[in-house]
Amino acid sequence: MKADLDQLMEKRGLQALVVVGDETYSVPRDYLTNGAQVTGGLVIKKRGADPVMIVNPMEVEEAAASGLTVYTNHDFGWGDLIKEADGDRSKATVKLWERVLQQQAIPPGKIGIYGTDDVNVYIEMVDELNQLADYEFVGERGLTLFDEAFITKDADELARLKVVAAATSATLQATWDYIAGHRVEGETLVKPDGSPLTIGDVKRFVRRTLLDHDLEDTGMIFAQGRDAGFPHSRGQTDMPLQLGQAIIFDLFPREIGGGYHHDVTRTWCIGYAPEPLQKAYDTVMKAFDIAITAYDEPGQPTHELQEAVLDYFEEEGHPTQRSQPSTMNGYVHSLGHGVGLKIHERPSLSHLTRKDILQQGNVVSVEPGLYYPDEGYGVRVEDTVYIDETGKMISLTDFHKKLVIEVQQ
Amino acid sequence: MKADLDQLMEKRGLQALVVVGDETYSVPRDYLTNGAQVTGGLVIKKRGADPVMIVNPMEVEEAAASGLTVYTNHDFGWGDLIKEADGDRSKATVKLWERVLQQQAIPPGKIGIYGTDDVNVYIEMVDELNQLADYEFVGERGLTLFDEAFITKDADELARLKVVAAATSATLQATWDYIAGHRVEGETLVKPDGSPLTIGDVKRFVRRTLLDHDLEDTGMIFAQGRDAGFPHSRGQTDMPLQLGQAIIFDLFPREIGGGYHHDVTRTWCIGYAPEPLQKAYDTVMKAFDIAITAYDEPGQPTHELQEAVLDYFEEEGHPTQRSQPSTMNGYVHSLGHGVGLKIHERPSLSHLTRKDILQQGNVVSVEPGLYYPDEGYGVRVEDTVYIDETGKMISLTDFHKKLVIEVQQ
């Protein structure tokens, strides 16, 4: 969590870290600047000190919302630097960084560069940065400092995650009711004007409902029939909703403009569930319970939960990623992942990840599934849970797990 | 434009380019894969050949929507590579790239790495990639290959930009009508229940209206009074809408899930406009006309348009970024920028950018403004225009430029 940043920097021997980013939403910038909505700029954190921001003068008001010390790039002579560099922004940026590091009195040593930006520019610029006396600019391999910090959430983060969870659960309920409110013609749901209710209609309803709860969609999955058999198939906009088809609805919205996520999946079937789908659903529901029950206490390796689920699915005769690593039938993914500012964080609940453990402050998804595209269905059931300060696993998702949406025939 | 990619690669001596990216929306991935909505994966383009995609097996269906050849990372033995690398993803990724480059028969030489991702990982990984025999992995400084390609839009892109423009203009009209439909109590707009209409209410209305047009907000500005005096201040959610205050409404949405943008700004004032605001507004409107009129023909340097506006504002006694480079009063930004998959592209309409020209296929914003935060207002007026195949500048924005929203007193 955030309070660990200095220790994580020390472990890596970093004197400071610099967070870069383009004009789109940036996770590490948000994390360090308390959600200030700036486009671009730099965040510099000296080990043991609060971060400071350097922004375009136009951004000072938004940057001030961070509560941090804010400088503009003019405070460091940006205009002159650009002129001296004859318009070469990389060259001018290197000089700007040098001035900022000096002004912040960063001791000689390693500086970590973090953030999401155009990698093309930085793999070139880092060589020039490394010609600055006193400093070595470094990346990382494996779990980065931010990856590590994100593994556990503090109380402020958990409070926000709970709000997003409640709003997401409410959106699921509204969507269930919206679908149930349509009438049936033949095997198809229809709107009051008689035209078919499509996946596009449902997604539009979901996006609006999310906005009403101050959330934004980040690419929901609403996939029916064969499409539900591919875990990341988003669903076809023009497809009408049909009775008796598996629908995988995977919703993972975040706070508007970027922020904390919730992650939940339900499998629904309108009207009635065919026998094979019902059987697969019951199996996945049992796998979900097995996963939750397999959790014992903080410190437990995450792969134990995945292995409990793998054992069960394999006993039931389903191929898995363990029994057939490249299978696209059966259980084809890991059990879950951390959820926070990024939708996929650590720990990873995978049998291939042997070192991740469950601990207080984790917020993770638990999402077993079975996929049979050639048989025209897939099933996934997912809640997001957290490990509280006493070590208990508690669900953040508050929505029922019924399969069949009953409709007026 | 896209058809120039091979030539842009040749100019840089690139045998191939690799586009990386994380699980969020990626501009260059979208550009090369015709909008396929995959999360992660690689896109590789050999010079002279179509791009190919390498994705997680779960993504194959979405990737297939690109119309490109799609491989999964299992086709290159990803599982074994991860095992051999003892879980070190960077190490395994380097091996995967080697296999992909061989399989694509990329001749020895330079490979450009592009895309938006965690720079921390790539500044580390590039050293290891450069130990591969035969290949040199390179970044760029200055205008990158994609920056250059984006400068001009082809007919398909322009068609999409026109749809986004029309939908954005319709959203402006709906927002104007929404505000005008509220009644006044004292100097404040109120809702039917008597509570004040806030900036948060308006933004919620705008986001919903955008969704109805299949667009998504990317961080609109709706800033009133002093906040309007800071060009990038987003506006305060809880602030009630007041009569006689400058409101800067800058809307730059994109296609849902990522795609082409439109960029438009209007300055509004509810009920009546105080004299200084009206005067500043008239000045900015004249500056807007001066900018458009200053455009002559393709090949013209962009700085000529900005200089025409600077001359006029300075004649009228306003400080500018040219007369006082660090000013936060007067005209404090450039005249405009390219608009496309990114909200800020080239060409830049700035007096500091001497080499950019206007040419057929450009889509650019034109957005003069005046800012006086201490006097409690700012003004900006912006349309997005394009240069058609005959060299004419044509506005994509179809919305009136009235200042005062009349309301029922």
Side-chain angles (χ1 to χ4, degrees):
Chain A
M1 61 185 71
K2 241 182 258 192
D4 302 330
L5 282 174
D6 287 318
Q7 180 211 316
L8 293 169
M9 289 173 73
E10 193 172 355
K11 188 169 128 186
R12 289 163 173 79
L14 298 180
Q15 298 292 359
L17 59 84
V18 181
V19 172
V20 301
D22 62 18
E23 61 195 347
T24 63
Y25 173 72
S26 157
V27 163
R29 185 166 60 205
D30 182 348
Y31 193 66
L32 290 184
T33 65
N34 309 309
Q37 298 199 307
V38 299
T39 57
L42 284 183
V43 186
I44 311 247
K45 178 178 155 47
K46 180 179 175 175
R47 198 169 82 215
D50 283 334
V52 301
M53 300 179 76
I54 297 99
V55 299
N56 183 304
M58 295 202 290
E59 308 272 355
V60 286
E61 283 289 291
E62 289 298 328
S66 66
L68 304 176
T69 302
V70 175
Y71 301 95
T72 79
N73 46 28
H74 284 299
D75 294 333
F76 299 95
W78 177 246
D80 291 336
L81 290 176
I82 277 279
K83 257 186 227 159
E84 284 164 27
D86 197 24
D88 181 334
R89 294 182 70 88
S90 289
K91 204 168 177 177
T93 301
V94 170
K95 293 273 179 202
L96 179 85
W97 285 35
E98 185 177 22
R99 291 183 181 180
V100 171
L101 293 168
Q102 282 168 356
Q103 188 253 17
Q104 289 291 305
I106 310 292
K110 283 190 190 170
I111 313 285
I113 306 182
Y114 295 91
T116 303
D117 206 328
D118 187 343
V119 295
N120 186 270
V121 170
Y122 287 91
I123 60 179
E124 176 79 17
M125 200 170 78
V126 75
D127 289 336
E128 194 160 342
L129 281 166
N130 275 328
Q131 287 164 27
L132 293 181
D134 293 341
Y135 300 117
E136 182 193 357
F137 292 83
V138 295
E140 291 197 47
R141 51 196 317 139
L143 272 193
T144 72
L145 178 141
F146 284 97
D147 291 336
E148 274 202 69
F150 293 164
I151 290 173
T152 54
K153 274 74 180 173
D154 65 24
D156 288 347
E157 293 180 280
L158 196 58
R160 286 169 69 180
L161 283 154
K162 283 181 178 175
V163 171
V164 177
T168 307
S169 300
T171 302
L172 283 177
Q173 183 63 57
T175 309
W176 173 282
D177 294 342
Y178 170 77
I179 293 171
H182 286 77
R183 67 191 167 82
V184 178
E185 268 187 28
E187 291 285 298
T188 304
L189 281 198
V190 296
K191 293 186 277 196
D193 68 3
S195 66
L197 179 72
T198 65
I199 288 175
D201 292 324
V202 175
K203 287 193 172 182
R204 199 169 293 120
F205 175 85
V206 172
R207 291 193 187 102
R208 288 183 70 126
T209 307
L210 289 172
L211 280 188
D212 292 343
H213 289 95
D214 294 324
L215 299 185
E216 64 184 13
D217 176 40
T218 65
M220 81 184 98
I221 288 167
F222 196 98
Q224 179 178 261
R226 179 174 181 273
D227 293 340
F230 297 94
H232 277 195
S233 181
R234 305 264 181 120
Q236 297 170 46
T237 305
D238 296 336
M239 185 184 276
L241 268 63
Q242 302 278 345
L243 303 199
Q245 297 285 324
I247 293 170
I248 287 190
F249 181 25
D250 189 345
L251 191 60
F252 40 97
R254 65 180 184 187
E255 295 166 307
I256 282 182
Y260 288 91
H261 291 80
H262 187 69
D263 199 357
V264 56
T265 305
R266 290 294 181 265
T267 302
W268 292 345
C269 191
I270 302 166
Y272 61 90
E275 181 60 28
L277 173 59
Q278 181 70 56
K279 193 161 172 250
Y281 189 79
D282 294 342
T283 305
V284 170
M285 281 293 290
K286 181 145 185 212
F288 183 89
D289 290 339
I290 285 170
I292 299 292
T293 310
Y295 170 69
D296 197 22
E297 58 183 0
Q300 185 178 3
T302 54
H303 62 79
E304 292 186 10
L305 276 64
Q306 165 78 335
E307 278 154 357
V309 169
L310 285 164
D311 290 345
Y312 171 65
F313 279 141
E314 288 169 14
E315 274 163 31
E316 294 290 311
H318 297 284
T320 71
Q321 266 203 334
R322 182 175 64 180
S323 64
Q324 299 178 32
S326 67
T327 183
M328 291 180 67
N329 289 292
Y331 180 44
V332 303
H333 53 65
S334 61
L335 182 63
H337 53 82
V339 175
L341 290 175
K342 294 166 73 173
I343 184 61
H344 292 117
E345 299 183 348
R346 302 294 282 264
S348 171
L349 280 62
S350 163
H351 59 291
L352 299 170
T353 310
R354 311 302 295 181
K355 291 169 192 159
D356 287 14
I357 57 164
L358 287 161
Q359 57 188 307
Q360 285 95 335
N362 282 160
V363 176
V364 298
S365 73
V366 177
E367 47 180 315
L370 287 173
Y371 305 89
Y372 290 100
D374 294 340
E375 294 169 42
Y377 68 85
V379 171
R380 182 164 67 255
V381 172
E382 173 188 33
D383 281 359
T384 298
V385 305
Y386 72 103
I387 313 285
D388 76 4
E389 67 282 1
T390 71
K392 254 192 264 177
M393 180 181 280
I394 295 172
S395 184
L396 287 168
T397 310
D398 180 22
F399 183 70
H400 68 74
K401 297 191 181 74
K402 284 185 266 186
L403 171 63
V404 175
I405 303 181
E406 284 173 22
V407 283
Q408 304 290 325
Q409 299 280 345
Chain B
M1 60 186 72
K2 240 182 258 191
D4 303 330
L5 282 173
D6 287 317
Q7 181 211 314
L8 293 169
M9 289 173 74
E10 195 172 353
K11 188 169 130 187
R12 290 163 173 80
L14 298 181
Q15 300 292 0
L17 59 83
V18 181
V19 172
V20 301
D22 63 17
E23 61 194 347
T24 63
Y25 173 72
S26 157
V27 164
R29 185 165 60 205
D30 183 347
Y31 194 65
L32 289 184
T33 64
N34 309 308
Q37 298 198 306
V38 300
T39 57
L42 283 183
V43 186
I44 311 247
K45 180 179 155 43
K46 181 180 176 175
R47 197 169 83 215
D50 283 335
V52 301
M53 300 179 74
I54 297 99
V55 300
N56 185 304
M58 294 202 291
E59 309 270 354
V60 286
E61 283 290 290
E62 289 299 327
S66 66
L68 304 176
T69 302
V70 175
Y71 302 95
T72 78
N73 46 28
H74 284 300
D75 294 333
F76 299 95
W78 176 248
D80 291 338
L81 290 176
I82 277 280
K83 257 186 226 160
E84 283 164 27
D86 198 24
D88 180 334
R89 293 182 71 86
S90 290
K91 204 167 179 179
T93 300
V94 170
K95 293 274 179 200
L96 178 85
W97 284 35
E98 185 176 24
R99 291 183 180 182
V100 172
L101 294 168
Q102 283 168 355
Q103 187 255 16
Q104 289 291 304
I106 310 293
K110 282 190 190 172
I111 313 284
I113 305 181
Y114 295 90
T116 303
D117 206 329
D118 187 344
V119 295
N120 186 271
V121 170
Y122 286 90
I123 60 179
E124 176 78 15
M125 201 171 76
V126 75
D127 289 336
E128 193 160 345
L129 281 167
N130 276 327
Q131 287 165 28
L132 293 181
D134 294 339
Y135 299 117
E136 182 193 355
F137 292 83
V138 296
E140 291 197 48
R141 50 195 319 139
L143 272 194
T144 72
L145 178 141
F146 283 97
D147 291 337
E148 275 202 66
F150 293 163
I151 289 174
T152 54
K153 275 73 179 174
D154 64 25
D156 288 348
E157 294 180 280
L158 196 59
R160 286 170 68 179
L161 283 154
K162 283 180 179 177
V163 171
V164 178
T168 306
S169 300
T171 302
L172 283 176
Q173 183 64 56
T175 308
W176 174 283
D177 294 342
Y178 170 77
I179 293 171
H182 285 79
R183 65 190 168 83
V184 179
E185 268 186 29
E187 292 285 298
T188 304
L189 280 199
V190 295
K191 293 187 275 195
D193 68 3
S195 66
L197 179 72
T198 65
I199 288 175
D201 292 324
V202 175
K203 286 193 171 183
R204 199 169 294 120
F205 175 85
V206 172
R207 290 194 188 104
R208 288 184 70 127
T209 308
L210 289 172
L211 280 189
D212 291 343
H213 290 94
D214 294 324
L215 299 184
E216 64 184 15
D217 175 41
T218 66
M220 80 184 98
I221 288 168
F222 196 97
Q224 178 177 262
R226 179 174 181 275
D227 293 339
F230 297 94
H232 278 195
S233 180
R234 305 264 182 118
Q236 297 170 46
T237 304
D238 295 336
M239 185 185 275
L241 268 63
Q242 301 277 346
L243 302 200
Q245 297 286 323
I247 292 170
I248 287 191
F249 181 26
D250 189 345
L251 191 59
F252 40 97
R254 66 180 183 186
E255 294 165 307
I256 282 181
Y260 288 91
H261 290 80
H262 187 69
D263 198 358
V264 55
T265 305
R266 289 295 181 265
T267 301
W268 291 344
C269 190
I270 301 166
Y272 61 90
E275 182 62 27
L277 173 59
Q278 181 70 55
K279 192 160 173 253
Y281 189 78
D282 294 342
T283 305
V284 170
M285 281 294 288
K286 183 146 185 212
F288 183 89
D289 291 338
I290 285 170
I292 299 292
T293 310
Y295 170 69
D296 197 20
E297 57 182 2
Q300 184 178 4
T302 55
H303 62 80
E304 292 185 11
L305 276 65
Q306 165 78 337
E307 278 154 359
V309 169
L310 286 164
D311 290 345
Y312 171 65
F313 279 142
E314 288 168 15
E315 275 163 31
E316 294 290 312
H318 297 284
T320 71
Q321 265 202 334
R322 182 175 64 180
S323 64
Q324 300 178 30
S326 68
T327 184
M328 291 179 69
N329 289 293
Y331 181 43
V332 303
H333 53 66
S334 62
L335 182 63
H337 53 83
V339 176
L341 290 175
K342 293 166 74 172
I343 184 61
H344 293 116
E345 299 183 351
R346 301 296 279 265
S348 172
L349 280 62
S350 162
H351 59 292
L352 298 170
T353 310
R354 312 300 295 181
K355 289 169 194 158
D356 287 13
I357 57 163
L358 288 160
Q359 58 189 306
Q360 285 95 336
N362 282 160
V363 176
V364 298
S365 72
V366 177
E367 46 179 315
L370 287 172
Y371 304 89
Y372 290 99
D374 294 340
E375 294 168 42
Y377 68 86
V379 172
R380 182 163 68 256
V381 172
E382 172 187 34
D383 281 359
T384 298
V385 304
Y386 73 103
I387 313 286
D388 77 3
E389 67 282 2
T390 72
K392 255 193 264 177
M393 181 181 279
I394 295 172
S395 184
L396 287 168
T397 309
D398 181 21
F399 184 70
H400 68 73
K401 297 191 181 76
K402 284 185 268 187
L403 171 63
V404 175
I405 303 180
E406 284 173 22
V407 283
Q408 304 288 328
Q409 298 278 348

Short mmCIF file of all heavy atoms in Angstrom, two decimals, chain B residues 246-277:
data_model
loop_
_atom_site.label_atom_id
_atom_site.label_comp_id
_atom_site.label_asym_id
_atom_site.label_seq_id
_atom_site.Cartn_x
_atom_site.Cartn_y
_atom_site.Cartn_z
N ALA B 246 -18.94 33.64 -17.00
CA ALA B 246 -18.37 32.93 -18.15
C ALA B 246 -18.34 31.44 -17.85
O ALA B 246 -17.93 31.02 -16.77
CB ALA B 246 -16.95 33.42 -18.41
N ILE B 247 -18.82 30.65 -18.81
CA ILE B 247 -18.72 29.19 -18.72
C ILE B 247 -17.93 28.71 -19.93
O ILE B 247 -18.35 28.97 -21.07
CB ILE B 247 -20.11 28.54 -18.72
CG1 ILE B 247 -20.86 28.87 -17.44
CG2 ILE B 247 -19.99 27.02 -18.90
CD1 ILE B 247 -22.33 28.47 -17.48
N ILE B 248 -16.81 28.06 -19.70
CA ILE B 248 -16.08 27.44 -20.81
C ILE B 248 -16.45 25.96 -20.83
O ILE B 248 -16.26 25.24 -19.85
CB ILE B 248 -14.56 27.63 -20.69
CG1 ILE B 248 -14.21 29.09 -21.02
CG2 ILE B 248 -13.82 26.68 -21.65
CD1 ILE B 248 -12.73 29.36 -21.19
N PHE B 249 -17.03 25.55 -21.97
CA PHE B 249 -17.46 24.17 -22.16
C PHE B 249 -16.63 23.59 -23.30
O PHE B 249 -16.84 23.92 -24.46
CB PHE B 249 -18.96 24.15 -22.48
CG PHE B 249 -19.55 22.77 -22.67
CD1 PHE B 249 -18.99 21.64 -22.09
CD2 PHE B 249 -20.71 22.61 -23.42
CE1 PHE B 249 -19.55 20.37 -22.26
CE2 PHE B 249 -21.29 21.35 -23.60
CZ PHE B 249 -20.70 20.24 -23.03
N ASP B 250 -15.66 22.76 -22.94
CA ASP B 250 -14.73 22.15 -23.91
C ASP B 250 -15.01 20.66 -23.92
O ASP B 250 -14.80 19.96 -22.93
CB ASP B 250 -13.29 22.44 -23.48
CG ASP B 250 -12.26 22.04 -24.54
OD1 ASP B 250 -12.61 21.28 -25.47
OD2 ASP B 250 -11.09 22.46 -24.42
N LEU B 251 -15.51 20.18 -25.05
CA LEU B 251 -15.97 18.80 -25.15
C LEU B 251 -15.11 18.09 -26.20
O LEU B 251 -14.99 18.57 -27.33
CB LEU B 251 -17.45 18.82 -25.57
CG LEU B 251 -18.24 17.51 -25.49
CD1 LEU B 251 -18.25 16.94 -24.07
CD2 LEU B 251 -19.67 17.74 -25.96
N PHE B 252 -14.51 16.97 -25.82
CA PHE B 252 -13.61 16.26 -26.74
C PHE B 252 -13.79 14.75 -26.59
O PHE B 252 -12.87 14.02 -26.23
CB PHE B 252 -12.15 16.69 -26.50
CG PHE B 252 -11.78 16.86 -25.05
CD1 PHE B 252 -11.16 15.84 -24.37
CD2 PHE B 252 -12.07 18.04 -24.37
CE1 PHE B 252 -10.82 15.98 -23.03
CE2 PHE B 252 -11.72 18.20 -23.03
CZ PHE B 252 -11.10 17.16 -22.36
N PRO B 253 -15.00 14.29 -26.90
CA PRO B 253 -15.31 12.87 -26.72
C PRO B 253 -14.71 12.03 -27.83
O PRO B 253 -14.17 12.55 -28.81
CB PRO B 253 -16.83 12.85 -26.82
CG PRO B 253 -17.16 13.97 -27.75
CD PRO B 253 -16.13 15.03 -27.50
N ARG B 254 -14.81 10.73 -27.66
CA ARG B 254 -14.34 9.80 -28.69
C ARG B 254 -15.35 8.67 -28.84
O ARG B 254 -16.26 8.51 -28.02
CB ARG B 254 -12.97 9.25 -28.34
CG ARG B 254 -12.97 8.37 -27.11
CD ARG B 254 -11.58 7.83 -26.78
NE ARG B 254 -11.67 6.94 -25.62
CZ ARG B 254 -10.63 6.40 -25.01
NH1 ARG B 254 -9.43 6.65 -25.42
NH2 ARG B 254 -10.81 5.61 -23.97
N GLU B 255 -15.16 7.87 -29.86
CA GLU B 255 -16.00 6.67 -30.05
C GLU B 255 -15.88 5.79 -28.81
O GLU B 255 -14.80 5.70 -28.21
CB GLU B 255 -15.52 5.92 -31.30
CG GLU B 255 -15.73 6.72 -32.58
CD GLU B 255 -14.94 6.17 -33.77
OE1 GLU B 255 -13.71 5.99 -33.64
OE2 GLU B 255 -15.54 5.93 -34.82
N ILE B 256 -16.96 5.13 -28.45
CA ILE B 256 -16.97 4.33 -27.22
C ILE B 256 -15.87 3.26 -27.24
O ILE B 256 -15.73 2.56 -28.23
CB ILE B 256 -18.35 3.68 -27.01
CG1 ILE B 256 -19.34 4.71 -26.46
CG2 ILE B 256 -18.27 2.49 -26.03
CD1 ILE B 256 -20.71 4.17 -26.19
N GLY B 257 -15.16 3.16 -26.14
CA GLY B 257 -14.11 2.15 -26.01
C GLY B 257 -12.79 2.58 -26.61
O GLY B 257 -11.82 1.83 -26.58
N GLY B 258 -12.74 3.80 -27.16
CA GLY B 258 -11.52 4.30 -27.81
C GLY B 258 -11.74 4.43 -29.30
O GLY B 258 -12.38 3.57 -29.90
N GLY B 259 -11.23 5.50 -29.89
CA GLY B 259 -11.41 5.73 -31.31
C GLY B 259 -11.21 7.20 -31.63
O GLY B 259 -10.50 7.90 -30.90
N TYR B 260 -11.85 7.66 -32.69
CA TYR B 260 -11.65 9.04 -33.14
C TYR B 260 -12.38 10.04 -32.23
O TYR B 260 -13.45 9.76 -31.70
CB TYR B 260 -12.09 9.19 -34.60
CG TYR B 260 -11.10 8.49 -35.50
CD1 TYR B 260 -11.27 7.15 -35.84
CD2 TYR B 260 -9.96 9.14 -35.92
CE1 TYR B 260 -10.32 6.48 -36.60
CE2 TYR B 260 -8.99 8.48 -36.68
CZ TYR B 260 -9.19 7.16 -37.02
OH TYR B 260 -8.24 6.50 -37.76
N HIS B 261 -11.75 11.21 -32.12
CA HIS B 261 -12.26 12.30 -31.28
C HIS B 261 -12.89 13.41 -32.13
O HIS B 261 -12.63 13.52 -33.32
CB HIS B 261 -11.12 12.95 -30.50
CG HIS B 261 -10.51 12.12 -29.42
ND1 HIS B 261 -9.59 11.15 -29.68
CD2 HIS B 261 -10.67 12.13 -28.07
CE1 HIS B 261 -9.21 10.58 -28.54
NE2 HIS B 261 -9.85 11.15 -27.55
N HIS B 262 -13.67 14.23 -31.46
CA HIS B 262 -13.96 15.57 -31.96
C HIS B 262 -13.58 16.53 -30.84
O HIS B 262 -13.59 16.14 -29.68
CB HIS B 262 -15.44 15.72 -32.32
CG HIS B 262 -15.74 17.02 -33.01
ND1 HIS B 262 -15.31 17.30 -34.28
CD2 HIS B 262 -16.40 18.14 -32.60
CE1 HIS B 262 -15.70 18.51 -34.62
NE2 HIS B 262 -16.36 19.04 -33.61
N ASP B 263 -13.25 17.78 -31.22
CA ASP B 263 -12.82 18.75 -30.20
C ASP B 263 -13.51 20.07 -30.49
O ASP B 263 -13.36 20.64 -31.57
CB ASP B 263 -11.29 18.90 -30.27
CG ASP B 263 -10.72 19.53 -28.99
OD1 ASP B 263 -11.51 19.87 -28.08
OD2 ASP B 263 -9.49 19.67 -28.92
N VAL B 264 -14.29 20.51 -29.53
CA VAL B 264 -15.04 21.76 -29.70
C VAL B 264 -15.14 22.47 -28.35
O VAL B 264 -15.24 21.83 -27.31
CB VAL B 264 -16.45 21.48 -30.27
CG1 VAL B 264 -17.22 20.49 -29.41
CG2 VAL B 264 -17.26 22.76 -30.47
N THR B 265 -15.06 23.80 -28.39
CA THR B 265 -15.26 24.59 -27.17
C THR B 265 -16.22 25.72 -27.47
O THR B 265 -16.15 26.36 -28.53
CB THR B 265 -13.93 25.22 -26.69
OG1 THR B 265 -12.97 24.19 -26.51
CG2 THR B 265 -14.13 25.94 -25.36
N ARG B 266 -17.12 25.96 -26.54
CA ARG B 266 -17.95 27.15 -26.59
C ARG B 266 -17.84 27.87 -25.26
O ARG B 266 -17.61 27.23 -24.22
CB ARG B 266 -19.42 26.79 -26.85
CG ARG B 266 -19.69 26.27 -28.26
CD ARG B 266 -19.45 27.35 -29.31
NE ARG B 266 -19.72 26.87 -30.67
CZ ARG B 266 -18.81 26.38 -31.50
NH1 ARG B 266 -17.54 26.27 -31.11
NH2 ARG B 266 -19.14 26.01 -32.72
N THR B 267 -17.98 29.19 -25.31
CA THR B 267 -18.11 29.97 -24.08
C THR B 267 -19.55 30.42 -23.99
O THR B 267 -20.08 30.99 -24.96
CB THR B 267 -17.15 31.17 -24.09
OG1 THR B 267 -15.81 30.68 -24.23
CG2 THR B 267 -17.27 31.96 -22.78
N TRP B 268 -20.15 30.11 -22.85
CA TRP B 268 -21.56 30.45 -22.65
C TRP B 268 -21.70 31.34 -21.42
O TRP B 268 -20.85 31.33 -20.53
CB TRP B 268 -22.39 29.17 -22.42
CG TRP B 268 -22.52 28.29 -23.64
CD1 TRP B 268 -22.25 28.64 -24.94
CD2 TRP B 268 -22.93 26.91 -23.66
NE1 TRP B 268 -22.48 27.56 -25.77
CE2 TRP B 268 -22.90 26.49 -25.02
CE3 TRP B 268 -23.34 25.99 -22.70
CZ2 TRP B 268 -23.26 25.20 -25.42
CZ3 TRP B 268 -23.69 24.71 -23.08
CH2 TRP B 268 -23.66 24.31 -24.43
N CYS B 269 -22.82 32.06 -21.38
CA CYS B 269 -23.11 32.89 -20.23
C CYS B 269 -24.62 32.89 -20.08
O CYS B 269 -25.34 33.12 -21.06
CB CYS B 269 -22.57 34.30 -20.50
SG CYS B 269 -22.61 35.34 -19.06
N ILE B 270 -25.09 32.57 -18.91
CA ILE B 270 -26.53 32.38 -18.72
C ILE B 270 -27.20 33.71 -18.38
O ILE B 270 -26.72 34.44 -17.51
CB ILE B 270 -26.80 31.33 -17.62
CG1 ILE B 270 -26.16 30.00 -18.00
CG2 ILE B 270 -28.30 31.15 -17.39
CD1 ILE B 270 -26.08 29.00 -16.86
N GLY B 271 -28.30 34.03 -19.08
CA GLY B 271 -29.11 35.20 -18.76
C GLY B 271 -28.62 36.48 -19.40
O GLY B 271 -29.33 37.08 -20.22
N TYR B 272 -27.43 36.90 -19.03
CA TYR B 272 -26.87 38.16 -19.56
C TYR B 272 -25.36 38.10 -19.46
O TYR B 272 -24.82 37.38 -18.62
CB TYR B 272 -27.39 39.36 -18.75
CG TYR B 272 -26.97 39.27 -17.30
CD1 TYR B 272 -25.75 39.83 -16.86
CD2 TYR B 272 -27.75 38.58 -16.36
CE1 TYR B 272 -25.33 39.71 -15.54
CE2 TYR B 272 -27.34 38.46 -15.04
CZ TYR B 272 -26.14 39.03 -14.64
OH TYR B 272 -25.71 38.89 -13.34
N ALA B 273 -24.71 38.89 -20.34
CA ALA B 273 -23.24 38.91 -20.32
C ALA B 273 -22.75 40.25 -19.80
O ALA B 273 -23.09 41.29 -20.37
CB ALA B 273 -22.69 38.66 -21.71
N PRO B 274 -21.97 40.27 -18.73
CA PRO B 274 -21.37 41.53 -18.26
C PRO B 274 -20.48 42.11 -19.36
O PRO B 274 -19.91 41.36 -20.17
CB PRO B 274 -20.53 41.10 -17.05
CG PRO B 274 -21.03 39.74 -16.67
CD PRO B 274 -21.55 39.12 -17.92
N GLU B 275 -20.34 43.41 -19.32
CA GLU B 275 -19.60 44.15 -20.35
C GLU B 275 -18.19 43.58 -20.63
O GLU B 275 -17.85 43.32 -21.79
CB GLU B 275 -19.54 45.63 -19.94
CG GLU B 275 -18.82 46.55 -20.91
CD GLU B 275 -19.50 46.60 -22.28
OE1 GLU B 275 -20.72 46.38 -22.37
OE2 GLU B 275 -18.77 46.83 -23.29
N PRO B 276 -17.32 43.37 -19.61
CA PRO B 276 -15.96 42.91 -19.92
C PRO B 276 -15.95 41.53 -20.59
O PRO B 276 -15.14 41.28 -21.49
CB PRO B 276 -15.28 42.83 -18.54
CG PRO B 276 -16.15 43.60 -17.62
CD PRO B 276 -17.53 43.56 -18.17
N LEU B 277 -16.86 40.67 -20.19
CA LEU B 277 -16.94 39.34 -20.78
C LEU B 277 -17.38 39.44 -22.24
O LEU B 277 -16.81 38.81 -23.13
CB LEU B 277 -17.89 38.44 -19.97
CG LEU B 277 -18.20 37.07 -20.57
CD1 LEU B 277 -16.92 36.24 -20.77
CD2 LEU B 277 -19.19 36.30 -19.68
#
